[in-house]
Amino acid sequence: MRPAFVFGTRPEIIKLAPVIRAFEERGVKPLLVHTGQHYDYEMSRVFLEELGLPEIDHHLEVGSGTQAEQTGTAMIKIERVLMDERPDVTIVQGDTNTVLAGALASVKLKIPVAHVEAGLRSFDRTMPEEINRVLADHASEVLFAPTEEAKKNLEREGITENVYVVGNTVVDAVLQNAELAERKSDVLERFGLRPGEYVLITAHRAENTDSRENLAKLVEILESLPMIGIYPMHPRTRNRLKEFGLWERVSSIGNLIVTKPLGYLDFLRLERNAFAIMTDSGGIQEEAIILNVPCLTLRYNTERPETIEAGGNVLVGLEKERAIGYLRKLMDDEEFYRRMASAPNPFGDGKAGERIAEILMGLYEEGKLKVKSSKFI
Ligand code: UD1
Ligand code: UDP
């Protein structure tokens, strides 16, 4: 069996690494296709190195662009590789433009698509990620839902065949790397931080960074932090802050450390030892609850509602009063802090990667890994 992995951004590399590893442990050598949606060293190669991934077979160097430019270029380049290589299945993960391009290019060549992290929905169609998720799920033959809730979302859209609830591979990634991070990373010492005494911040979503008005609201939150903050900043946010003339304000905040994006081991150690996390990232909302750190999400909705229901995450939007209010409550109310920090992890046991490899290899051996002509009949 020859599976192809198509990926291109930081979270896809992190969350697919356990699946790639599981195939390798079973004697299957996957084909690795990197679209190059992320291309800076600290957005891509650092993760390939730290997670010990094998050499990439095809670097497509798609780079940045508008939604259609990026997706279209990726589709054209992925199609060429898939036509030459004819893998048995194309595996994609998540909701990026790379995922949509990979899924569409593959299914049209009648190469079945397996979607890891299927069935997530924010129900907000103004987000590019929501469009990508819905379309990738409908183009997929095999759907790996992380939770029962995700499976229900798929059912509601008529997708009921070959749906497997396997947990989220982010748990595998965290469990495989958290101890290593604690031993190997010196991030706290480098930045002079003490465990439990800082808030870790990330924000990069289009809805938060592409308008000056929203980005200025984020800056107001940063200016009001009641404790030390550290913000490993996504290049998108850095570029927008400069473009909108907000960079000076951010760089002059006394109790805020702004750094380049960090490698996974440094970032995991920062997460694990943070007092709280403020983020608009999907993966970081998940990692926060896995690592027992309270999460305040800088968004008005989430496709990870399980974290809210479990009590480990609160949506604060870009509302300064609400965001800072919750941070202060966490600082002042020990019982509230304890409740948020001890919320149970809804994303499984860290064996999602193994399950995914087993299921796909089983389907392949039974001759069932095919694009069906009668999916909805
Ligand atoms: C993408 C995903 C988003 C995901 C994020 C993970 C889509 C629509 N969005 O957003 O869901 O959460 O990846 O981090 O696919 N840039 C660099 N260097 C890089 C990469 C990007 O400077 O290596 C800058 C460029 O100015 C680029 C901008 O960041 O235009 C945005 O990059 P892009 O890949 O389009 O979207 P992300 O914001 O990274
Ligand atoms: N991450 C990292 N370094 C950073 C910021 C994030 O290693 O400086 C990791 C983080 O641990 C998580 C993933 O990147 O596993 C999340 O990626 P991102 O927030 O870019 O994307 P999203 O999950 O929102 O799609």
Side-chain angles (χ1 to χ4, degrees):
M1 176 191 187
R2 190 138 206 241
F5 285 84
V6 175
F7 52 89
T9 68
R10 166 168 80 184
E12 293 163 73
I13 301 171
I14 292 169
K15 288 176 168 179
L16 282 176
V19 191
I20 295 169
R21 186 173 292 181
F23 271 109
E24 287 191 314
E25 282 168 3
R26 285 160 181 76
V28 173
K29 187 189 172 324
L31 181 79
L32 302 188
V33 184
H34 190 317
T35 62
Q37 177 171 344
H38 285 173
Y39 43 86
D40 290 346
Y41 174 82
E42 58 272 13
M43 294 300 287
S44 171
R45 178 142 284 282
V46 65
F47 303 106
L48 302 173
E49 289 171 3
E50 282 186 337
L51 299 170
L53 288 174
E55 275 307 301
I56 301 293
D57 297 285
H58 298 275
H59 282 284
L60 305 185
E61 297 181 1
V62 169
S64 307
T66 65
Q67 294 293 314
E69 280 164 0
Q70 194 172 53
T71 312
T73 309
M75 256 187 97
I76 292 167
K77 295 188 169 189
I78 294 167
E79 182 182 57
R80 272 184 216 136
V81 171
L82 295 180
M83 275 168 32
D84 286 348
E85 299 271 6
R86 280 271 150 199
D88 297 302
V89 60
T90 301
I91 301 170
V92 292
Q93 192 285 335
D95 53 21
T96 65
N97 288 344
T98 290
V99 170
L100 177 60
L104 286 182
S106 182
V107 68
K108 289 192 161 196
L109 292 170
K110 302 182 186 59
I111 298 168
V113 179
H115 189 199
V116 178
E117 205 177 73
L120 272 62
R121 296 290 181 269
S122 66
F123 304 102
D124 175 357
R125 290 177 56 108
T126 66
M127 296 172 68
E129 291 86 357
E130 182 75 353
I131 308 296
N132 294 344
R133 284 180 203 117
V134 171
L135 298 182
D137 282 339
H138 284 264
S140 294
E141 220 63 40
V142 189
L143 298 105
F144 293 111
T147 63
E148 289 294 335
E149 198 142 347
K151 183 181 174 191
K152 281 192 198 120
N153 288 336
L154 294 170
E155 270 167 17
R156 223 175 282 127
E157 294 173 21
I159 303 176
T160 53
E161 262 184 73
N162 278 343
V163 177
Y164 300 91
V165 177
V166 292
N168 195 311
T169 60
V170 74
V171 184
D172 311 30
V174 169
L175 297 185
Q176 287 167 18
N177 294 290
E179 288 307 325
L180 189 67
E182 219 53 50
R183 269 187 286 121
K184 280 207 160 172
S185 161
D186 62 353
V187 70
L188 299 184
E189 296 73 17
R190 269 193 347 260
F191 289 106
L193 294 167
R194 280 202 294 265
E197 292 187 9
Y198 62 90
V199 54
L200 173 61
I201 302 146
T202 82
H204 70 276
R205 293 279 171 173
E207 67 266 26
N208 284 343
T209 58
D210 280 2
S211 88
R212 191 184 191 284
E213 194 189 338
N214 286 349
L215 200 53
K217 285 183 166 189
L218 176 68
V219 174
E220 276 184 33
I221 293 175
L222 299 176
E223 286 171 337
S224 314
L225 288 176
M227 62 162 55
I228 293 173
I230 178 161
Y231 187 160
M233 196 176 278
H234 191 293
R236 176 188 203 113
T237 315
R238 189 180 290 261
N239 293 342
R240 292 283 189 248
L241 284 168
K242 288 184 179 161
E243 206 176 302
F244 294 138
L246 294 164
W247 176 250
E248 292 308 316
R249 265 174 71 186
V250 171
S251 52
S252 59
I253 300 172
N255 59 347
L256 181 69
I257 303 165
V258 179
T259 78
K260 283 178 148 192
L262 296 169
Y264 195 46
L265 298 183
D266 278 347
F267 196 78
L268 266 183
R269 183 155 186 243
L270 267 189
E271 283 184 297
R272 196 182 195 182
N273 290 288
F275 173 78
I277 294 175
M278 290 177 122
T279 190
D280 64 8
S281 157
I284 297 169
Q285 289 175 63
E286 294 160 350
E287 287 171 348
I289 200 164
I290 296 165
L291 293 166
N292 297 317
V293 180
C295 184
L296 304 178
T297 292
L298 300 162
R299 288 176 48 187
Y300 296 88
N301 58 46
T302 178
E303 57 293 317
R304 275 93 173 164
E306 300 89 345
T307 57
I308 312 267
E309 285 149 23
N313 187 9
V314 178
L315 295 177
V316 295
L318 287 177
E319 307 306 318
K320 186 180 77 183
E321 305 304 329
R322 190 168 161 85
I324 301 300
Y326 268 103
L327 196 52
R328 283 199 182 283
K329 189 168 162 63
L330 284 167
M331 292 164 79
D332 297 340
D333 183 342
E334 264 180 50
E335 174 53 23
F336 180 68
Y337 187 91
R338 200 197 52 74
R339 274 208 315 275
M340 277 197 82
S342 60
N345 157 31
F347 296 117
D349 58 3
K351 295 192 164 50
E354 292 179 25
R355 286 189 194 101
I356 290 168
E358 291 285 340
I359 290 166
L360 287 176
M361 289 172 74
L363 288 171
Y364 174 73
E365 276 154 28
E366 291 167 27
K368 289 183 182 159
L369 206 48
K370 296 218 164 66
V371 175
K372 287 189 274 306
S373 59
S374 59
K375 191 164 164 85
F376 298 106
I377 300 170

